[in-house]
Amino acid sequence: MTILQFTPFSSAVDAAFWQTLAEKKLNEFQLSDQSRSLLGYYTPGHALLDTQGQSVAVAPRLCLPSQAFEKTSTIPANAFQVTGTITNTNTIQDFQKLDRQALFQEAASKLWNCIESGEAIKHPGLLCQFFVLTFADLKKYKFYYWFCFPAPIPQPSQWQLDKPMTPITSEMNSDQIQSLAKEYAKLRSSQGPDSAYFLIKKHTSGNIRVGSLDTWDDFFNRSDEPIVGFADPSGLASPGWPLRPLLALAHHSWGLNTLKVVCYRDPIETSQILVTSLPTDSLYQPKDSKQKDTLPKSVGWERNAQAKLGPRVADLGPLMDPLRLADTSVDLNLKLMRWRVVPDLDLEKIKHTKCLLLGAGTLGCHVARCLLGWGVRHITFVDNGRVSFSNPVRQPLYTFEDCLEGGAPKAEQAAKALKAIQPSIVSKGYSFTIPMPGHPLPAQQLRQDSQALLDLIESHDVVYLLTDSRESRWLPTMLAAKLNKIVINSALGFDTYLVMRHGGRNQAQDQDQEKIGTNLGCYFCNDIVAPTDSLTDRTLDQQCTVTRPGLAAIAGALAVELMVSLTQHKDGVNAPAGKNDVPCLLGIVPHQIRGFLGQFSNMLIVGQAYDRCTACSTKVIEHYDADPLGFLSNVVEDPLYLEQITGLCQMKAESDALLLDDDWTGLEDDF
Amino acid sequence: MTILQFTPFSSAVDAAFWQTLAEKKLNEFQLSDQSRSLLGYYTPGHALLDTQGQSVAVAPRLCLPSQAFEKTSTIPANAFQVTGTITNTNTIQDFQKLDRQALFQEAASKLWNCIESGEAIKHPGLLCQFFVLTFADLKKYKFYYWFCFPAPIPQPSQWQLDKPMTPITSEMNSDQIQSLAKEYAKLRSSQGPDSAYFLIKKHTSGNIRVGSLDTWDDFFNRSDEPIVGFADPSGLASPGWPLRPLLALAHHSWGLNTLKVVCYRDPIETSQILVTSLPTDSLYQPKDSKQKDTLPKSVGWERNAQAKLGPRVADLGPLMDPLRLADTSVDLNLKLMRWRVVPDLDLEKIKHTKCLLLGAGTLGCHVARCLLGWGVRHITFVDNGRVSFSNPVRQPLYTFEDCLEGGAPKAEQAAKALKAIQPSIVSKGYSFTIPMPGHPLPAQQLRQDSQALLDLIESHDVVYLLTDSRESRWLPTMLAAKLNKIVINSALGFDTYLVMRHGGRNQAQDQDQEKIGTNLGCYFCNDIVAPTDSLTDRTLDQQCTVTRPGLAAIAGALAVELMVSLTQHKDGVNAPAGKNDVPCLLGIVPHQIRGFLGQFSNMLIVGQAYDRCTACSTKVIEHYDADPLGFLSNVVEDPLYLEQITGLCQMKAESDALLLDDDWTGLEDDF
């Protein structure tokens, strides 16, 4: 006697499914590793004939399509849906240490319960199930997985082959085969997945009848020879795996020890017939000592490429577009913050905040790098300088290369550098000089440059003031105030730094002047002199950084973190500071941070807006609105003009003391 | 009558002179712009004949050699030394705004005083002087300069040419010429520079006599025709500039209105003779209303390449080796700190501090960049990882390129990146895994890796602990303590950071235990558990950075600034912290800085060394010294071994609370 063999499924996972898993992991499952249900499918097998007319092995495939996670997935017309579950672990160690035995028992008993309860007779689709264990290494796009197709087997003996598998044509003439096909087509259209198993009998007329399992009792007359059919995924010399649970059901529910089986294949002419019987000594449920039914023994773990019992691995890294890989990995790092620490962190808002960096020197480079780290996608530089030999060691977007032949234009080069770090970034550099009080220039030039600056500020959400002089911060401060944009301002001394945000312009109107911190000032609000030409007279040392190299990294990072916190604050640009502030989920959003490296300390300061400010006060902005170019040409010709219109003139005397405090004049590394 | 014309000097500055000026500016003059004396020279001119036999113009050249700053400079044998001064300004604006008129008057009157006082007769070399105004743009190696050769001129009329310039051969036969040459050679050897001017007479014998100017009264008899000679730099149809002051002297000191002049050129046969006279109405010192002598009118500014009165520019940038340019520029930036703010800053010590960075991830990259900024020349990386797609946006030494094909080895790539920024840097990367407690490994591997680490720590001055796990910091902490090296340690939480230095090991012995801050602990001193395997069970999120991107920049910069301050502290590694510390010239050197980004604040903490510390305590180091490999293999097999030998076991219970505080476990961006 020969033992009946079954051809096991081999899992066939669509690459698109792994992609879907990766996305769900990032956006949906996150750190959860609970099981989720899947919909796979298989198609009836058929013998393939090779060029010599020999039939070649086609292993039965259990396929997972990209939509396997959805309730209903579109599958090939002739395919049969198979339900399963996926358990995706967080680490390779978790994957290795999974209690596979327990998971297997759970699945096996679930299947057996369907048989015992009779559920499987109503819904035969339940007889064929699977589960898969996975670990997705999203950094390398490697996917480790192990499929299992649990099926109960009898003990101690197995089903035997009374009549070897022969083509269906050996027992049915072509009319019968045609009517079988016709009948079964009907059943399929009515029963769907559950038509994977069905009953067959030859009518006295010779015609073929087909019925669903739950009609067993009425379907066969005593005279009939009961035949059971199943959609056989195998194209080989032995029937496919789905027959195993069917035999268990036939034995358990119908008490059969002998069964004629039609292995329905596609096309129907390739279908096979066999007769199998189970020795009477054999049982699915050996009685245990306490006379209690125990679970049948089950089998079903898939073997891997090495034909060993072990997981398989799908390495999609090589197939992936590296650019996409980079984006996914960066996303992942950021999302982890949300998953782990700050569930409500609005990463999208940060990602889409358009940042304008005025100055691509020491501070500009550090700010840009930190913005990259936060996943900001849109970074624009303005700088009129070229990369010089002293820059690269302090300005982390430039290299020695960039200094040759007179030096690359900083703004453009900085943008290039960002793309080299993160190719999907949107970055552009503009080389022009920001018009400055006390720096006269031709009307045409003034029109052009001030317009360029206005357009840039309008098209961005945040303006960073990172230039190397006080007066170059005036025009952007004024324009940003006019447009009520967020302004982040940083300046360096030798071992001191300033990082501040400018107050929103709508505050004065809609908030109580008395409340400290609700009406915040700008960089110029605590000046009592107009910004004026501070460049031409700078001595050698003032023309370049005389700052401790660590300062720019610290100030640049704080500037970005302050902005990020602000994006998460309900009041945004109008967020109050100090005692009136309500911290956002990332913490407080101070107005000014002044750091002292000599003491390794810093202090938080709140400065009020000043109604005579030469940059952000309504007076000034009104004059600008009245006649932008006329106003600006007055200012660049003579900064004192600002003091006249703001009424600062008479205070001029007091100014000197303040000017001396050049720790805050925002020297930049541009010697 | 034709006016006597003079061929002005054209300045010829040796490129090597500019190089010398640059070095002196950096190392000696610094910000001082006071005048300094120079030694230039000129050589007698001669008519050049071109290929057609036509004589071609050779402008008289006043040369500045590279040693012009020295008291005596080696000049060509036939050359005449000329004394001058240089005024080098700090900025191009200073250069433009120099009071040239005043400087000119000063020089002119100095010259005139030599003539009036008779000094010029004793030392005729004083008749020919120059001064030069310069601005050295050391960033671009551009040198702006303007020479002046002051010479008095008579008013209202000028000297006229009674007898046009004719070759000396027209008045002297070859014998006479030979004897002139012989005589003059004598004078030169005795008078040196002062022999640029001399007296000539034809002896009745027909021989030629030569004398120095101060012999005037005795040299000529009443019958003699006085002839004056001067070393004529000109090779052209008119005499060179040095004749101008000579004529002034002849008129003022000797009352001559007519003078025969020999323009001595080289070879002597090319010398010229002329006779010139000054109209009697003309004077050098017009009497002013108050009958007081005034200064003669003077001329002498050199014209530039455009033949305009204005400065010339020498652009050495293109000639310079860019590598050298880069070094000079970086040096400059650093030296400015010393000149301006911290005169005693020991930049050399910082420059030669060899830094070993354990970990080339987020912290490692930021630390390395800040070290570059401080001019540190020797930076070594150890890391066992490869650059992954999530790295570049947070690790500022890597780009997208470095992630392809599985990723470049981090340590090597980081070293490469530093060289791309500053080619003269000495940097190397080592890829190996630091042996860790609780991470067993083969004996051979352990021997090899621990030896490699020991060698590296021995050959460096400062060890930075920047790895991504707690236990990977144990071995370097222990070895650095054993070798009493400076250790700077940084670790990141989500929005908190730790930056600390380990206490020196010699403290306990030579210092009073009671004094807080004089016996500082290490990273493990406040642990009461041994470091153990914290890696294998990390969940997805713990395997990579869950930190605010700004943190690493801040912590990295603080780590470097702390080290730099320490290098300037008299006690170095043993510097106390807290109330017992005496700040160095850069400020205080705290023990631990703990930062809280949510509050934009930080705090300084002092932690004492712990005699049961699992890393730096004498007990542990003694066990290591007794049997390094045996000890280490015990530790990597079972971290509890450390607790046994330090006697920590019994405290184990209390440990959990501390382990939960994983804000300090130094997660690193290495998902």
Side-chain angles (χ1 to χ4, degrees), chain A residues 553-572:
Chain A
I554 296 170
L558 287 175
V560 172
E561 294 295 342
L562 178 58
M563 176 202 87
V564 169
S565 295
L566 211 53
T567 62
Q568 306 295 307
H569 194 291
K570 63 176 180 25
D571 300 331

PDB file of all heavy atoms in Angstrom, chain A residues 553-572:
ATOM      1  N   ALA A 553      27.016  76.356  16.104  1.00  0.00           N
ATOM      2  CA  ALA A 553      26.294  75.082  16.127  1.00  0.00           C
ATOM      3  C   ALA A 553      25.173  75.146  17.164  1.00  0.00           C
ATOM      4  O   ALA A 553      24.037  74.746  16.907  1.00  0.00           O
ATOM      5  CB  ALA A 553      27.242  73.940  16.443  1.00  0.00           C
ATOM      6  N   ILE A 554      25.498  75.696  18.321  1.00  0.00           N
ATOM      7  CA  ILE A 554      24.509  75.773  19.395  1.00  0.00           C
ATOM      8  C   ILE A 554      23.376  76.733  19.015  1.00  0.00           C
ATOM      9  O   ILE A 554      22.203  76.371  19.020  1.00  0.00           O
ATOM     10  CB  ILE A 554      25.176  76.240  20.701  1.00  0.00           C
ATOM     11  CG1 ILE A 554      26.214  75.207  21.154  1.00  0.00           C
ATOM     12  CG2 ILE A 554      24.135  76.474  21.785  1.00  0.00           C
ATOM     13  CD1 ILE A 554      27.099  75.675  22.295  1.00  0.00           C
ATOM     14  N   ALA A 555      23.768  77.953  18.601  1.00  0.00           N
ATOM     15  CA  ALA A 555      22.752  78.957  18.277  1.00  0.00           C
ATOM     16  C   ALA A 555      21.890  78.501  17.102  1.00  0.00           C
ATOM     17  O   ALA A 555      20.669  78.634  17.119  1.00  0.00           O
ATOM     18  CB  ALA A 555      23.414  80.289  17.965  1.00  0.00           C
ATOM     19  N   GLY A 556      22.551  77.912  16.076  1.00  0.00           N
ATOM     20  CA  GLY A 556      21.799  77.445  14.915  1.00  0.00           C
ATOM     21  C   GLY A 556      20.775  76.389  15.304  1.00  0.00           C
ATOM     22  O   GLY A 556      19.612  76.443  14.892  1.00  0.00           O
ATOM     23  N   ALA A 557      21.197  75.435  16.132  1.00  0.00           N
ATOM     24  CA  ALA A 557      20.288  74.359  16.549  1.00  0.00           C
ATOM     25  C   ALA A 557      19.140  74.930  17.378  1.00  0.00           C
ATOM     26  O   ALA A 557      17.969  74.595  17.168  1.00  0.00           O
ATOM     27  CB  ALA A 557      21.042  73.303  17.334  1.00  0.00           C
ATOM     28  N   LEU A 558      19.474  75.834  18.306  1.00  0.00           N
ATOM     29  CA  LEU A 558      18.415  76.419  19.147  1.00  0.00           C
ATOM     30  C   LEU A 558      17.414  77.188  18.280  1.00  0.00           C
ATOM     31  O   LEU A 558      16.199  77.112  18.495  1.00  0.00           O
ATOM     32  CB  LEU A 558      19.027  77.354  20.192  1.00  0.00           C
ATOM     33  CG  LEU A 558      19.762  76.672  21.345  1.00  0.00           C
ATOM     34  CD1 LEU A 558      20.432  77.697  22.237  1.00  0.00           C
ATOM     35  CD2 LEU A 558      18.821  75.792  22.147  1.00  0.00           C
ATOM     36  N   ALA A 559      17.934  77.882  17.255  1.00  0.00           N
ATOM     37  CA  ALA A 559      17.040  78.651  16.385  1.00  0.00           C
ATOM     38  C   ALA A 559      16.014  77.729  15.735  1.00  0.00           C
ATOM     39  O   ALA A 559      14.811  78.029  15.713  1.00  0.00           O
ATOM     40  CB  ALA A 559      17.856  79.379  15.323  1.00  0.00           C
ATOM     41  N   VAL A 560      16.491  76.576  15.249  1.00  0.00           N
ATOM     42  CA  VAL A 560      15.573  75.650  14.585  1.00  0.00           C
ATOM     43  C   VAL A 560      14.610  75.030  15.591  1.00  0.00           C
ATOM     44  O   VAL A 560      13.403  74.963  15.365  1.00  0.00           O
ATOM     45  CB  VAL A 560      16.359  74.547  13.846  1.00  0.00           C
ATOM     46  CG1 VAL A 560      15.414  73.477  13.323  1.00  0.00           C
ATOM     47  CG2 VAL A 560      17.166  75.159  12.713  1.00  0.00           C
ATOM     48  N   GLU A 561      15.144  74.608  16.744  1.00  0.00           N
ATOM     49  CA  GLU A 561      14.268  73.987  17.744  1.00  0.00           C
ATOM     50  C   GLU A 561      13.197  74.981  18.204  1.00  0.00           C
ATOM     51  O   GLU A 561      12.047  74.600  18.440  1.00  0.00           O
ATOM     52  CB  GLU A 561      15.099  73.484  18.931  1.00  0.00           C
ATOM     53  CG  GLU A 561      16.049  72.335  18.574  1.00  0.00           C
ATOM     54  CD  GLU A 561      15.315  71.061  18.161  1.00  0.00           C
ATOM     55  OE1 GLU A 561      14.115  70.923  18.468  1.00  0.00           O
ATOM     56  OE2 GLU A 561      15.944  70.215  17.496  1.00  0.00           O
ATOM     57  N   LEU A 562      13.579  76.247  18.298  1.00  0.00           N
ATOM     58  CA  LEU A 562      12.592  77.263  18.684  1.00  0.00           C
ATOM     59  C   LEU A 562      11.493  77.351  17.631  1.00  0.00           C
ATOM     60  O   LEU A 562      10.302  77.353  17.949  1.00  0.00           O
ATOM     61  CB  LEU A 562      13.278  78.621  18.853  1.00  0.00           C
ATOM     62  CG  LEU A 562      12.383  79.801  19.221  1.00  0.00           C
ATOM     63  CD1 LEU A 562      11.637  79.542  20.525  1.00  0.00           C
ATOM     64  CD2 LEU A 562      13.203  81.082  19.340  1.00  0.00           C
ATOM     65  N   MET A 563      11.900  77.336  16.364  1.00  0.00           N
ATOM     66  CA  MET A 563      10.900  77.391  15.291  1.00  0.00           C
ATOM     67  C   MET A 563      10.001  76.160  15.325  1.00  0.00           C
ATOM     68  O   MET A 563       8.778  76.268  15.257  1.00  0.00           O
ATOM     69  CB  MET A 563      11.557  77.456  13.914  1.00  0.00           C
ATOM     70  CG  MET A 563      10.532  77.428  12.788  1.00  0.00           C
ATOM     71  SD  MET A 563      11.191  76.867  11.193  1.00  0.00           S
ATOM     72  CE  MET A 563      10.975  75.096  11.340  1.00  0.00           C
ATOM     73  N   VAL A 564      10.627  74.988  15.492  1.00  0.00           N
ATOM     74  CA  VAL A 564       9.831  73.751  15.498  1.00  0.00           C
ATOM     75  C   VAL A 564       8.817  73.792  16.634  1.00  0.00           C
ATOM     76  O   VAL A 564       7.634  73.503  16.452  1.00  0.00           O
ATOM     77  CB  VAL A 564      10.741  72.521  15.615  1.00  0.00           C
ATOM     78  CG1 VAL A 564       9.927  71.281  15.902  1.00  0.00           C
ATOM     79  CG2 VAL A 564      11.550  72.348  14.338  1.00  0.00           C
ATOM     80  N   SER A 565       9.271  74.210  17.822  1.00  0.00           N
ATOM     81  CA  SER A 565       8.329  74.316  18.940  1.00  0.00           C
ATOM     82  C   SER A 565       7.195  75.266  18.573  1.00  0.00           C
ATOM     83  O   SER A 565       6.026  74.990  18.829  1.00  0.00           O
ATOM     84  CB  SER A 565       9.053  74.820  20.194  1.00  0.00           C
ATOM     85  OG  SER A 565      10.003  73.858  20.613  1.00  0.00           O
ATOM     86  N   LEU A 566       7.556  76.361  17.915  1.00  0.00           N
ATOM     87  CA  LEU A 566       6.547  77.359  17.559  1.00  0.00           C
ATOM     88  C   LEU A 566       5.511  76.768  16.597  1.00  0.00           C
ATOM     89  O   LEU A 566       4.310  77.031  16.722  1.00  0.00           O
ATOM     90  CB  LEU A 566       7.230  78.573  16.926  1.00  0.00           C
ATOM     91  CG  LEU A 566       6.573  79.932  17.137  1.00  0.00           C
ATOM     92  CD1 LEU A 566       6.331  80.215  18.611  1.00  0.00           C
ATOM     93  CD2 LEU A 566       7.430  81.027  16.525  1.00  0.00           C
ATOM     94  N   THR A 567       5.966  75.924  15.667  1.00  0.00           N
ATOM     95  CA  THR A 567       4.997  75.328  14.731  1.00  0.00           C
ATOM     96  C   THR A 567       3.994  74.437  15.468  1.00  0.00           C
ATOM     97  O   THR A 567       2.912  74.181  14.981  1.00  0.00           O
ATOM     98  CB  THR A 567       5.689  74.440  13.663  1.00  0.00           C
ATOM     99  OG1 THR A 567       6.351  73.355  14.339  1.00  0.00           O
ATOM    100  CG2 THR A 567       6.687  75.235  12.858  1.00  0.00           C
ATOM    101  N   GLN A 568       4.384  73.964  16.649  1.00  0.00           N
ATOM    102  CA  GLN A 568       3.488  73.084  17.401  1.00  0.00           C
ATOM    103  C   GLN A 568       2.666  73.871  18.428  1.00  0.00           C
ATOM    104  O   GLN A 568       1.888  73.287  19.178  1.00  0.00           O
ATOM    105  CB  GLN A 568       4.295  71.995  18.110  1.00  0.00           C
ATOM    106  CG  GLN A 568       5.208  71.202  17.191  1.00  0.00           C
ATOM    107  CD  GLN A 568       4.449  70.395  16.155  1.00  0.00           C
ATOM    108  OE1 GLN A 568       3.561  69.625  16.486  1.00  0.00           O
ATOM    109  NE2 GLN A 568       4.762  70.619  14.887  1.00  0.00           N
ATOM    110  N   HIS A 569       2.853  75.173  18.456  1.00  0.00           N
ATOM    111  CA  HIS A 569       2.167  76.000  19.448  1.00  0.00           C
ATOM    112  C   HIS A 569       0.853  76.507  18.866  1.00  0.00           C
ATOM    113  O   HIS A 569       0.825  76.941  17.714  1.00  0.00           O
ATOM    114  CB  HIS A 569       3.053  77.164  19.867  1.00  0.00           C
ATOM    115  CG  HIS A 569       2.576  77.868  21.100  1.00  0.00           C
ATOM    116  ND1 HIS A 569       1.424  78.637  21.118  1.00  0.00           N
ATOM    117  CD2 HIS A 569       3.086  77.914  22.356  1.00  0.00           C
ATOM    118  CE1 HIS A 569       1.262  79.142  22.341  1.00  0.00           C
ATOM    119  NE2 HIS A 569       2.244  78.703  23.106  1.00  0.00           N
ATOM    120  N   LYS A 570      -0.206  76.472  19.658  1.00  0.00           N
ATOM    121  CA  LYS A 570      -1.518  76.816  19.114  1.00  0.00           C
ATOM    122  C   LYS A 570      -1.561  78.240  18.594  1.00  0.00           C
ATOM    123  O   LYS A 570      -2.250  78.547  17.627  1.00  0.00           O
ATOM    124  CB  LYS A 570      -2.620  76.588  20.147  1.00  0.00           C
ATOM    125  CG  LYS A 570      -2.522  77.444  21.389  1.00  0.00           C
ATOM    126  CD  LYS A 570      -3.737  77.190  22.294  1.00  0.00           C
ATOM    127  CE  LYS A 570      -3.735  78.012  23.572  1.00  0.00           C
ATOM    128  NZ  LYS A 570      -2.999  79.262  23.577  1.00  0.00           N
ATOM    129  N   ASP A 571      -0.786  79.142  19.209  1.00  0.00           N
ATOM    130  CA  ASP A 571      -0.831  80.547  18.794  1.00  0.00           C
ATOM    131  C   ASP A 571       0.198  80.890  17.721  1.00  0.00           C
ATOM    132  O   ASP A 571       0.246  82.035  17.258  1.00  0.00           O
ATOM    133  CB  ASP A 571      -0.614  81.463  20.014  1.00  0.00           C
ATOM    134  CG  ASP A 571      -1.685  81.241  21.060  1.00  0.00           C
ATOM    135  OD1 ASP A 571      -2.810  80.863  20.662  1.00  0.00           O
ATOM    136  OD2 ASP A 571      -1.388  81.389  22.257  1.00  0.00           O
ATOM    137  N   GLY A 572       1.040  79.933  17.337  1.00  0.00           N
ATOM    138  CA  GLY A 572       2.018  80.190  16.287  1.00  0.00           C
ATOM    139  C   GLY A 572       2.800  81.468  16.519  1.00  0.00           C
ATOM    140  O   GLY A 572       3.291  81.722  17.624  1.00  0.00           O
TER     141      GLY A 572
END
